Amino acid sequence: MAAELADLPARRVLDLCLPALNDVTPLILSRVGHAVAHSSLPHLKDDVQIVLAEALNNIVEHAYKGGPFGAIALTITLRDRHVHLCLTDWGHALPDNAVPRAQGPDPDTLSEGGYGWFLIHALTSEIRYARIARSNRLTLRFRG
């Protein structure tokens, strides 16, 4: 059975390219939630939406900070009991061209922010980042 699953082709369930604006984030989350809820892995919907909300916020607030607004391309693929999200933007690179560590904020400070990368690391099974010719590609994998 495992060999049969490994032989299944990837199935693309959603492709989007939209403006990187906070006002567009709810639309993206709704479309992604619908796609995952109606997939073979509906139980991953909440985790995917939480992680995607954090990643989109990072792109809007940091990748495009200080420049003109840009776009976010998103692809969702299902394969081998996993959901794969691939986010591409054309903003500033991540610091040190690497995914930030999964360090949670100090709970004693009751900070409103700072949980994003901690949540992304906690809810995904794999994170990959690449800077490719002025674009950022963040690939997130969720194990079903």
Side-chain angles (χ1 to χ4, degrees), residues 68-114:
F69 88 92
I72 298 171
L74 168 67
T75 301
I76 300 178
T77 308
L78 302 178
R79 182 175 184 141
D80 301 336
R81 307 281 310 150
H82 292 87
V83 173
H84 296 258
L85 261 63
C86 182
L87 287 158
T88 303
D89 70 75
W90 293 265
H92 301 292
L94 283 173
D96 300 322
N97 282 323
V99 172
R101 292 184 357 207
Q103 183 174 347
D106 181 357
D108 292 334
T109 65
L110 296 177
S111 173
E112 186 176 315

Side-chain angles (χ1 to χ4, degrees), residues 50-60 72 87 120 138 140:
I50 290 167
V51 167
L52 182 57
E54 294 296 340
L56 292 171
N57 182 65
N58 287 342
I59 292 169
V60 171
I72 298 171
L87 287 158
I120 292 170
L138 182 65
L140 305 162

